[in-house]
Amino acid sequence: MTNSSPAPLSASSISIQKTDSPKPLVPNSQLLFGKTFTDHMLAIRWTQEGGWQTPEIKPYGNLSLDPAALVLHYGLECFEGMKAYKGKNGEIRLFRPEMNLKRMNLSAKRLTLPAFDEAEFLKCIEQLLKIEERWIPQEKGYSLYLRPTFIATQPSLGVTSSNEALLYVICCPVGPYYPTGFKAVSLYATREYVRAWPGGTGNMKLGGNYAPGLVAQKLAADNECQQNLWIFGEEDKITEVGTMNLFVYLKTKEGETVLISPPLDGTILPGVTRYSILDLARQWDEFKVLEREITMHEVCEAVQEGRVIEMFGAGTACIVSPIKKILYDGKVFGTGNIHLTC
Ligand code: PMP
């Protein structure tokens, strides 16, 4: 045994440097999603030789990166989105963080970034939250959004796995994701572009999945929709929404009430919120809960026959967003209680 094997990530050695100039809190009513950042961040460096270095909690600030860092050229980056809340008794609560950290390790693996010890990383995040406690809003509908981020920092214009990386976490107090608040949203079903495909990276949370989606998001906005609905294949299978998983609650032709969410076939992000909703709905045992393929044709037919009870998207940032209409193939389909509008 040598004592030079790369070090595992360990929370016990964490170093904490507090800011001398804490920022004033922003009133909840003025929070725009992802625009206000707290006083501190967590940063943990990794090198192939030395392994995981001392986790540091330090004042929030710019990163210093070599302009040749792999992340800046080939998009070697993955991230997570999770929320912390303060309970009535003042206790800080994270919502199922172990699911996010597990997903992050899967994303990292796809980028050949190193694996980290999820439990130790979580301990570091908990320390950061204790320090940022005053930033966790207590009002209903508000929370502290955490953004764990993992980037490849090795300077290299050769396309290669990175021998250096940085894992960091920043935090934002947030309220509603959409500027329209918690109101029902409109979706533009995207036929012009494809988000993910079999064997691709749609089931991972890579920055590289989102940049090419912006053009579809812009098209949706140009058509007065909050987000786009990703559909796939010749049958226009529904997959997911811009940053949400999708649910359709309907009556089948046979009169059975079912909650359907498209299956995790590798093209869809396995959402923590999706998992939790399916889990809860199965426990209620009031209607059938199905993870199965659903096409635009099936939804449009159900809308026209007045069988769609509700459609909604779900995700950490957007929470549960009811869907009021879908713009598809030049027609507007109203969902739920709002029926076909044209
Ligand atoms: N799909 C996509 C593409 C997303 O970006 C998100 C947000 N992370 C979701 C679904 C929902 O996932 P989660 O419930 O884990 O936030």
Side-chain angles (χ1 to χ4, degrees):
M1 282 280 282
T2 66
N3 58 5
S4 61
S5 55
L9 198 164
S10 162
S12 57
S13 62
I14 197 162
S15 86
I16 298 176
Q17 184 206 340
K18 287 204 187 163
T19 179
D20 298 329
S21 45
K23 302 174 212 171
L25 293 179
V26 177
N28 285 350
S29 59
Q30 287 172 26
L31 291 173
L32 290 174
F33 191 91
K35 299 276 198 276
T36 303
F37 300 97
T38 63
D39 291 314
H40 300 91
M41 62 191 285
L42 166 69
I44 319 172
R45 292 202 166 273
W46 172 89
T47 64
Q48 198 160 30
E49 277 204 341
W52 291 99
Q53 298 175 13
T54 304
E56 291 174 69
I57 292 178
K58 56 187 185 181
Y60 184 96
N62 290 350
L63 301 177
S64 172
L65 286 181
D66 191 295
L70 280 162
V71 61
L72 300 175
H73 300 273
Y74 307 120
L76 273 84
E77 188 264 2
C78 60
F79 66 100
E80 272 303 323
M82 53 208 237
K83 279 179 172 170
Y85 300 85
K86 217 183 237 182
K88 284 207 176 101
N89 56 0
E91 187 195 346
I92 301 172
R93 294 193 179 136
L94 275 163
F95 185 71
R96 299 189 152 175
E98 55 299 321
M99 293 186 80
N100 291 91
L101 300 186
K102 190 170 170 203
R103 187 170 70 187
M104 192 170 198
N105 252 333
L106 289 175
S107 299
K109 192 172 180 192
R110 186 68 160 81
L111 300 175
T112 66
L113 283 169
F116 53 84
D117 184 308
E118 291 155 25
E120 290 297 307
F121 186 34
L122 183 55
K123 283 187 204 159
C124 298
I125 293 174
E126 284 166 356
Q127 292 260 18
L128 175 67
L129 280 176
K130 271 191 209 147
I131 290 172
E132 300 300 57
E133 184 165 358
R134 74 185 182 102
W135 287 95
I136 309 176
Q138 256 181 308
E139 195 183 328
K140 194 169 176 213
Y142 292 81
S143 56
L144 190 70
Y145 183 81
L146 273 65
R147 172 51 58 90
T149 311
F150 202 3
I151 59 174
T153 51
Q154 182 190 350
S156 168
L157 296 188
V159 181
T160 173
S161 296
S162 193
N163 62 17
E164 286 174 23
L166 176 68
L167 181 60
Y168 66 89
V169 182
I170 52 177
C171 319
C172 308
V174 297
Y177 182 75
Y178 299 109
T180 43
F182 293 116
K183 289 196 204 125
V185 295
S186 305
L187 303 181
Y188 179 92
T190 305
R191 298 188 105 177
E192 297 83 350
Y193 309 99
V194 177
R195 173 186 178 271
W197 45 88
T201 57
N203 56 346
M204 282 148 207
K205 212 157 164 60
L206 314 187
N209 285 345
Y210 291 81
L214 285 177
V215 66
Q217 173 56 32
K218 183 170 183 309
L219 196 57
D222 291 346
N223 283 279
E224 281 157 26
C225 294
Q226 276 86 359
Q227 283 212 357
N228 73 302
L229 174 63
W230 291 113
I231 52 183
F232 184 76
E234 284 175 7
E235 299 163 283
D236 285 350
K237 278 188 260 178
I238 298 181
T239 60
E240 62 183 326
V241 186
T243 54
M244 304 189 281
N245 289 116
L246 186 95
F247 292 80
V248 189
Y249 184 45
L250 52 71
K251 262 206 176 0
T252 62
K253 280 183 194 271
E254 294 73 36
E256 193 173 30
T257 311
V258 290
L259 178 68
I260 303 168
S261 196
L264 301 180
D265 61 358
T267 66
I268 296 173
L269 194 78
V272 176
T273 323
R274 174 189 181 278
Y275 178 89
S276 308
I277 290 172
L278 292 172
D279 208 17
L280 271 178
R282 284 187 178 121
Q283 282 175 38
W284 291 341
D285 199 20
E286 287 174 18
F287 43 80
K288 213 174 205 175
V289 179
L290 299 172
E291 291 172 72
R292 71 145 164 89
E293 283 179 357
I294 180 159
T295 62
M296 277 309 298
H297 172 75
E298 184 179 348
V299 168
C300 294
E301 192 182 45
V303 165
Q304 276 158 337
E305 293 173 3
R307 289 187 286 105
V308 173
I309 306 164
E310 216 179 316
M311 277 183 79
F312 57 94
T316 301
C318 315
I319 321 181
V320 171
S321 289
I323 295 163
K324 65 178 173 195
K325 63 177 189 186
I326 301 175
L327 185 57
Y328 169 63
D329 205 15
K331 296 191 198 79
V332 180
F333 291 87
T335 58
N337 294 326
I338 313 143
H339 289 290
L340 206 62
T341 51
C342 79

